[in-house]
Amino acid sequence: MFDLAYFSQTLVNGLSVGCIYGLIGIGFCVIYNASGIVNFAQGAFVMLGGMITYVLLTTLHLPMIVAGSIAIIVVALLGVLIERIVVRPLWDRNATMFVMILATLAVQIVIERTTLILVGDQPKSIPVFTDLPPIRIGGVSIGYQTLWIIGVSLVLIALLALFFQKTLVGRAMRACSINREAAALQGIPVSRMLALSFALSAALGAIAGILLTPTQFTAFNVGTPFAISGFIAAIVGGFGRPFGAFLGGIALGLAQALAVFGLGSGLKNVAALSVLLIFLFLRPSGILGAAK
Amino acid sequence: MPTLPTTISTNAGLLLRYLPAVLAVGLIAYAIVAGGHFVTLAGFALIYAVFVTGLNIFMGYAGQASFGQNAFAAIGGYASAVLTATYGWPPIPALIVGAAGAALCAVVIGYPTLRLRGHYLAMATLAIGLIVYEVTVQWQSVTQGYMGISGIPPLGIGSWEVTSDRAQLIMLSIVVTLCMASAWLIRNSRFGRAIVALSGSEDAARALGVDVARYKLAAFVVSAVYASLAGSLFVHIVGFVSPEVFGMHMVILGFTMLYVGGIGTITGPLVGAIVINLLPETFRGLKDYQDLVYGAALILLLIYAPGGLASLGNALKRRPSTPIPATAPKGARP
């Protein structure tokens, strides 16, 4: 029989996790637009965001806002580091796209395993940002963390829109995504834009990880599933469209929620991957069409 | 990679070119004679050599990318495990059913997937590997989930079973020899030339009358059969299977071996599998460090030595300022 309250609850959960997928998807698009590279280590940023915050909270007992900020900065710097020591040498050698994918996948493994060695394999969690009982509307309860996730995501989207539309740097990055040679001829430092895109994308991933960790948990190996979900979000939205990716993330979150509602939670990832395959086979350019 | 002086004669270059393969065979022979712990390591190396040979056909020759080869190893491995341990089948028919199942899956999966290119193909194949992993975890009535299936009998025909370590190693050596011979035959057949041609340029291959879509699919199916065979061999040698056996790390390990040994060469998979399994024996007990080291090694190889050990000989002859393209070196002779 159909339980409306449970159904609505599932949708709310799907919406909040969908925002997270959307943020990760935007991270893919930012790097892809600046360089044409698909960074398969994107999931590592998500994992590290939550994990570094956890470590700072438990060892140094910093306040949440400080710990989170430090985590975001550290992960952004790590993004630049990866760009400098892995992506740039390959880029300079004109490596094929496949080699680039494999190298970033290897980066993911290295980060995962280093984390495993440093903090162990036990799942970790951080406290919710606002420790109040959830708001109840009818039979649906909405936790404050859900509101945080949706709120912060919307603010980030607005800030990104401002960044890409109004600031010189943001417009330079967009110019790179449209035509790199032409951008270089206009005096835009294309290679610095690549480093910047890694920093921005890593920071977005870290924020997604910090927002999500209180509602679920984080462990060394949560990265890859999130990277895949983010990638699906980016494909559904039409690869290279940051805001399409956000909508794609929400669509994926809702689709996954419906799959959990209809089929049980065990097949959640299979459902997401099936969405990916259906889109790849039937409409690889996404809902909105590929970016140009 | 050490910087080698450029003045060494071509003879030394030729020697260096075959040295890794000779050493690899020597190590296996030593393992058969010496016995002990070394045998287990050599056994795993040979099983991986089968897996990587399949990967090499699809990636080295046909120039395509599959990040989901572990799916086919899982299909073969689980088919062997379930049919022999649960239903009491003899190993060989179970292995054949597994390989046929993997081939069938490769056709069904490959037909839509191989139309994709670039990162779409990469992500689609990665997704297939993850789907199969999830299924092996979730389909508990058949696979027993994380618990895994134990009590899988060793390989054998009728009442004759390959049980001792040495006998297993000899059998694996024969299997690997057959696999490499078949890879060599494939490479030098009409089919092999066609897939190497399409790896260079699909348009040019099409203009020469190669049915690109069909040949790509065929290469995918062949590589899936090798992977399935490796999966079956693994479960029979170890006697146990769980979802973790065929996880993502198998793909990374396979790629590392392929790049160490030399992508697109016949002996590369064997050399890579042996180097990766035997030399870093110090890392063996510490599984966590192992994957870390493999990942880091893979990154360094991709940047500094995309041709692998097999290209050492070439590196002596001409030290190219632009590196050899990492996929399908067209000049590589078998």
Side-chain angles (χ1 to χ4, degrees), chain B residues 18-35 38 42 46 169 173 270-271 274 278:
Chain B
Y18 291 107
L19 190 65
V22 173
L23 278 180
V25 173
L27 277 171
I28 296 294
Y30 171 75
I32 293 174
V33 176
F38 212 53
L46 289 174
L169 198 54
S173 303
L270 176 65
V271 172
I274 289 175
L278 295 190

Side-chain angles (χ1 to χ4, degrees), chain A residues 32 38 93 97-99 101-103 105-107 110 113-114 116-117 228 231 235 266 269-270 273 276 280-281, chain B residues 59 65 67 113 115-116 118-120 123-124 127 130-131 134 138 255 259 288-289 291-292 296 299 303-304 326:
Chain A
Y32 181 76
V38 177
R93 287 169 167 75
M97 187 213 57
F98 159 73
V99 168
I101 292 175
L102 189 53
L105 206 56
V107 168
V110 167
R113 292 292 147 177
T114 312
L116 173 63
I117 290 162
I228 300 225
F231 184 83
I235 287 197
N269 289 335
V270 175
L273 294 167
L276 167 69
L280 283 178
F281 298 154
Chain B
M59 291 184 41
F67 293 84
T113 312
R115 290 183 313 157
L116 304 169
H119 46 259
Y120 293 115
M123 196 44 104
L130 287 165
I131 288 178
E134 290 280 336
Q138 298 292 338
F255 282 130
Y259 272 94
D288 309 337
Y289 287 92
D291 287 348
L292 179 62
I299 294 172
I303 298 175
Y304 297 109

Side-chain angles (χ1 to χ4, degrees), chain A residues 85-148:
Chain A
I85 64 175
V86 179
V87 173
R88 171 139 331 237
L90 286 170
W91 175 274
D92 290 345
R93 287 169 167 75
N94 290 322
T96 58
M97 187 213 57
F98 159 73
V99 168
M100 202 66 97
I101 292 175
L102 189 53
T104 52
L105 206 56
V107 168
Q108 163 86 29
I109 299 280
V110 167
I111 293 176
E112 248 180 37
R113 292 292 147 177
T114 312
T115 311
L116 173 63
I117 290 162
L118 292 177
V119 303
D121 63 351
Q122 290 305 308
K124 313 271 193 277
S125 195
I126 56 179
V128 291
F129 298 174
T130 310
D131 194 10
L132 289 173
I135 305 168
R136 295 198 150 271
I137 303 169
V140 185
S141 70
I142 301 171
Y144 275 91
Q145 195 64 30
T146 308
L147 296 178
W148 272 107

Side-chain angles (χ1 to χ4, degrees), chain B residues 1-333:
Chain B
M1 200 169 70
T3 45
L4 297 154
T6 44
T7 47
I8 298 183
S9 69
T10 12
N11 276 342
L14 203 67
L15 185 71
L16 255 182
R17 184 164 171 185
Y18 291 107
L19 190 65
V22 173
L23 278 180
V25 173
L27 277 171
I28 296 294
Y30 171 75
I32 293 174
V33 176
H37 176 56
F38 212 53
V39 171
T40 321
L41 292 178
F44 283 132
L46 289 174
I47 292 170
Y48 261 102
V50 174
F51 180 73
V52 180
T53 301
L55 198 61
N56 192 29
I57 288 175
F58 190 59
M59 291 184 41
Y61 301 161
Q64 307 298 311
S66 168
F67 293 84
Q69 291 298 102
N70 56 336
F72 303 116
I75 291 170
Y78 268 97
S80 281
V82 171
L83 290 177
T84 56
T86 315
Y87 295 100
W89 281 37
I92 299 291
L95 183 148
I96 292 169
V97 168
L104 187 67
C105 285
V107 172
V108 173
I109 293 167
Y111 185 74
T113 312
L114 294 177
R115 290 183 313 157
L116 304 169
R117 288 200 199 175
H119 46 259
Y120 293 115
L121 175 61
M123 196 44 104
T125 49
L126 187 65
I128 286 156
L130 287 165
I131 288 178
V132 171
Y133 174 82
E134 290 280 336
V135 169
T136 56
V137 172
Q138 298 292 338
W139 197 12
Q140 296 198 349
S141 57
V142 172
T143 64
Q144 300 178 24
Y146 286 117
M147 295 288 291
I149 300 169
S150 52
I152 302 162
L155 268 178
I157 299 167
S159 60
W160 180 74
E161 287 186 332
V162 186
T163 46
S164 85
D165 282 353
R166 273 177 201 169
Q168 283 183 342
L169 198 54
I170 291 169
M171 177 204 69
L172 285 175
S173 303
I174 295 168
V175 171
V176 168
T177 310
L178 290 176
C179 283
M180 284 170 54
S182 59
W184 186 81
L185 286 175
I186 287 173
R187 171 65 187 83
N188 290 293
S189 68
R190 185 184 161 77
F191 170 66
R193 287 191 298 272
I195 59 175
V196 171
L198 77 84
S199 86
S201 160
E202 287 189 16
D203 292 332
R206 198 173 289 118
L208 291 169
V210 174
D211 185 342
V212 169
R214 185 187 292 176
Y215 276 99
K216 264 202 239 178
L217 186 60
F220 190 53
V221 171
V222 169
S223 73
V225 170
Y226 279 95
S228 161
L229 177 62
S232 294
L233 288 172
F234 184 92
V235 302
H236 283 298
I237 298 293
V238 177
F240 171 77
V241 66
S242 73
E244 298 301 326
V245 169
F246 305 115
M248 250 311 277
H249 72 99
M250 188 174 195
V251 176
I252 291 292
L253 204 54
F255 282 130
T256 313
M257 290 169 178
L258 191 52
Y259 272 94
V260 167
I263 189 164
T265 62
I266 294 286
T267 53
L270 176 65
V271 172
I274 289 175
V275 168
I276 292 296
N277 262 289
L278 295 190
L279 292 191
E281 205 188 334
T282 38
F283 301 117
R284 266 280 144 189
L286 305 155
K287 180 132 191 359
D288 309 337
Y289 287 92
Q290 237 185 74
D291 287 348
L292 179 62
V293 171
Y294 293 152
L298 181 56
I299 294 172
L300 290 175
L301 274 170
L302 287 173
I303 298 175
Y304 297 109
L309 288 180
S311 69
L312 275 183
N314 299 339
L316 287 183
K317 271 178 264 166
R318 50 181 179 85
R319 294 183 60 86
S321 52
T322 51
I324 310 145
T327 47
K330 270 157 260 114
R333 275 184 291 123

Side-chain angles (χ1 to χ4, degrees), chain A:
Chain A
M1 65 165 266
F2 188 79
D3 183 347
L4 184 67
Y6 177 56
F7 181 72
S8 317
Q9 183 74 58
T10 317
L11 285 188
V12 169
N13 296 346
L15 188 64
S16 84
V17 81
C19 287
I20 299 292
Y21 295 159
L23 291 182
I24 303 167
I26 296 174
F28 273 108
C29 294
V30 168
I31 291 181
Y32 181 76
N33 281 347
S35 64
I37 294 168
V38 177
N39 171 32
F40 277 53
Q42 201 67 28
F45 301 144
V46 181
M47 182 273 290
L48 282 177
M51 194 59 90
I52 293 175
T53 309
Y54 166 82
V55 171
L56 291 174
L57 284 176
T58 49
T59 57
L60 299 178
H61 305 290
L62 295 172
M64 175 64 97
I65 181 88
V66 179
S69 308
I70 294 176
I72 293 167
I73 293 167
V74 169
V75 174
L77 290 176
L78 183 74
V80 177
L81 188 70
I82 291 170
E83 195 272 337
R84 285 289 143 181
I85 64 175
V86 179
V87 173
R88 171 139 331 237
L90 286 170
W91 175 274
D92 290 345
R93 287 169 167 75
N94 290 322
T96 58
M97 187 213 57
F98 159 73
V99 168
M100 202 66 97
I101 292 175
L102 189 53
T104 52
L105 206 56
V107 168
Q108 163 86 29
I109 299 280
V110 167
I111 293 176
E112 248 180 37
R113 292 292 147 177
T114 312
T115 311
L116 173 63
I117 290 162
L118 292 177
V119 303
D121 63 351
Q122 290 305 308
K124 313 271 193 277
S125 195
I126 56 179
V128 291
F129 298 174
T130 310
D131 194 10
L132 289 173
I135 305 168
R136 295 198 150 271
I137 303 169
V140 185
S141 70
I142 301 171
Y144 275 91
Q145 195 64 30
T146 308
L147 296 178
W148 272 107
I149 291 174
I150 296 171
V152 171
S153 304
L154 292 178
V155 170
L156 278 176
I157 295 288
L159 287 178
L160 279 174
L162 274 180
F163 172 72
F164 282 121
Q165 299 291 338
K166 301 286 179 201
T167 66
L168 192 61
V169 179
R171 298 215 301 238
M173 283 178 82
R174 267 174 53 215
C176 290
S177 78
I178 294 165
N179 187 328
R180 265 190 296 282
E181 281 81 22
L185 287 174
Q186 300 287 324
I188 295 170
V190 174
S191 91
R192 208 177 299 161
M193 290 298 140
L194 181 57
L196 187 64
S197 73
F198 266 83
L200 183 57
S201 159
L204 281 172
I207 295 172
I210 297 168
L211 286 172
L212 187 72
T213 305
T215 63
Q216 305 193 346
F217 63 88
T218 189
F220 74 99
N221 59 359
V222 299
T224 312
F226 279 119
I228 300 225
S229 301
F231 184 83
I232 300 171
I235 287 197
V236 171
F239 219 92
R241 289 170 174 265
F243 306 110
F246 189 70
L247 292 180
I250 291 176
L252 177 66
L254 292 178
Q256 236 181 14
L258 291 178
V260 171
F261 182 76
L263 305 168
S265 62
L267 293 171
K268 189 175 83 173
N269 289 335
V270 175
L273 294 167
S274 307
V275 169
L276 167 69
L277 292 180
I278 290 167
F279 259 92
L280 283 178
F281 298 154
L282 299 181
R283 193 161 169 77
S285 55
I287 301 174
L288 303 174
K292 184 64 225 114

